[in-house]
């Protein structure tokens, strides 16, 4: 059974850093396209970042230069390193698996982890 | 960036009604368009991929159509459990979600 479990969210001050983790089971993270998607309180979905099976990474303009997506193949885990955090980064962060290579339809999602950026 | 305009932002319909949501892309995205359902406090769920393909296990009352810039999502007979917010998402370039449509029961 495919499962994604996020962790690492919490309260952080503006300008601070946080690393989110997404532990996967039932499939191999490195063989799939994996993304982070966030949702600010009461708002819609916003795509944040993707890592392709080949290792290429891409980011939304809103986080480029501040966030880094990565994976640990030995732990079958996806990460999102978030630096220089701002109040507008406050959101529930979901990791999601793409349905197939070059098919960015997200068929499995984690339960989400809440990041709150506030002093 | 490709922008997605989703409408309406909310709607109210009766059980059994046909419900239609549209999504318009700012440029041609072929059929690279997906639809999701999100219930409060839950992660989104993929319903339709590549504009018209029903994800495994999704009831057949859900359907999608369109290509290029104009897409439609339909619930043929609204059920109480369909109360949720629905999002379109394109991936012609990098992924981008529409603004969402909140569906309520009249």
């Amino acid at each position: 059974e495919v499962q994604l479990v996020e962790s690492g969210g919490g309260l952080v001050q503006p300008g601070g850093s946080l690393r989110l983790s997404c532990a996967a089971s039932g499939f191999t993270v490195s063989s799939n396209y994996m993304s982070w998607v966030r949702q600010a309180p009461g708002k819609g979905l916003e795509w944040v970042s993707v890592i392709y099976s080949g290792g290429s990474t891409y980011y939304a303009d809103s986080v480029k230069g501040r966030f880094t997506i990565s994976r640990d193949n030995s732990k079958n885990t996806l990460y999102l390193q978030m630096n220089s955090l701002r109040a507008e980064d406050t959101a529930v962060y979901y990791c999601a698996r793409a349905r197939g290579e070059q098919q960015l339809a997200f068929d499995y999602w984690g339960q989400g982890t809440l990041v709150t950026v506030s002093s | 960036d490709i922008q997605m305009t989703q409408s309406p932002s909310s709607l109210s319909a009766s059980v059994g009604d046909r419900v239609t949501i549209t999504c318009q892309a700012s440029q041609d995205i072929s059929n690279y368009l997906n639809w999701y359902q999100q219930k409060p406090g839950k992660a989104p769920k993929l319903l339709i991929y590549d504009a018209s393909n029903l994800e495994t296990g999704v009831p057949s009352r859900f359907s999608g159509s369109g290509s290029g810039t104009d897409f439609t999502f339909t619930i043929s007979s609204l059920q109480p459990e369909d109360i949720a917010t629905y999002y379109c998402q394109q991936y012609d370039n990098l992924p981008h979600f529409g603004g969402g449509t909140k569906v309520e029961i009249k």
Side-chain angles (χ1 to χ4, degrees), chain B residues 42-88:
Chain B
K42 300 293 187 182
K45 175 185 177 182
L46 177 65
L47 300 180
I48 303 287
Y49 65 94
D50 293 347
S52 61
N53 295 291
L54 195 66
E55 178 69 346
T56 304
V58 174
S60 59
R61 64 180 180 274
F62 296 102
S63 66
S65 64
S67 67
T69 60
D70 295 301
F71 300 86
T72 300
F73 172 79
T74 300
I75 306 173
S76 60
S77 177
L78 186 68
Q79 299 302 303
E81 61 266 32
D82 300 336
I83 300 313
T85 301
Y86 294 84
Y87 294 93
C88 63

Side-chain angles (χ1 to χ4, degrees), chain A residues 35 37 39 43-47 50 52 58-61 94 99 102-112, chain B residues 1 32 34 36 38 41-46 48-50 55-56 87 89-91 93-99:
Chain A
S35 259
V37 176
Q39 186 169 37
K43 303 296 185 183
L45 300 171
E46 180 186 16
W47 173 79
V50 65
Y52 290 169
Y58 299 91
Y59 301 90
D61 288 345
Y94 297 100
R99 199 176 183 280
Q102 300 183 6
Q103 188 180 44
L104 288 172
F106 303 116
D107 60 352
Y108 285 94
W109 297 65
Q111 83 287 356
Chain B
D1 284 1
Y32 301 138
N34 309 311
Y36 299 84
Q38 187 181 33
K42 300 293 187 182
K45 175 185 177 182
L46 177 65
I48 303 287
Y49 65 94
D50 293 347
E55 178 69 346
T56 304
Y87 294 93
Q89 173 241 320
Q90 67 83 17
Y91 68 97
N93 188 359
L94 296 175
H96 191 90
F97 290 90

Side-chain angles (χ1 to χ4, degrees), chain A residues 30-95:
Chain A
S30 62
S31 298
N32 287 265
Y33 287 19
M34 299 292 298
S35 259
W36 289 96
V37 176
R38 69 184 181 183
Q39 186 169 37
K43 303 296 185 183
L45 300 171
E46 180 186 16
W47 173 79
V48 172
S49 181
V50 65
I51 183 166
Y52 290 169
S53 52
S56 298
T57 58
Y58 299 91
Y59 301 90
D61 288 345
S62 58
V63 307
K64 200 175 296 181
R66 300 186 300 123
F67 289 12
T68 303
I69 190 171
S70 65
R71 66 192 181 207
D72 185 328
N73 297 345
S74 67
K75 295 182 178 179
N76 208 32
T77 298
L78 179 74
Y79 299 101
L80 185 68
Q81 177 67 43
M82 305 185 295
N83 299 330
S84 303
L85 282 161
R86 307 166 179 167
E88 54 265 35
D89 295 319
T90 294
V92 173
Y93 285 73
Y94 297 100
C95 63

Side-chain angles (χ1 to χ4, degrees), chain B residues 3-63:
Chain B
Q3 300 302 313
M4 305 302 297
T5 303
Q6 187 174 340
S7 61
S9 56
S10 66
L11 65 89
S12 182
S14 300
V15 172
D17 280 356
R18 184 180 185 86
V19 169
T20 299
I21 299 168
T22 64
C23 205
Q24 185 171 57
S26 57
Q27 63 189 68
D28 189 336
I29 59 169
S30 184
N31 68 332
Y32 301 138
L33 192 286
N34 309 311
W35 292 95
Y36 299 84
Q37 175 192 68
Q38 187 181 33
K39 296 184 177 180
K42 300 293 187 182
K45 175 185 177 182
L46 177 65
L47 300 180
I48 303 287
Y49 65 94
D50 293 347
S52 61
N53 295 291
L54 195 66
E55 178 69 346
T56 304
V58 174
S60 59
R61 64 180 180 274
F62 296 102
S63 66

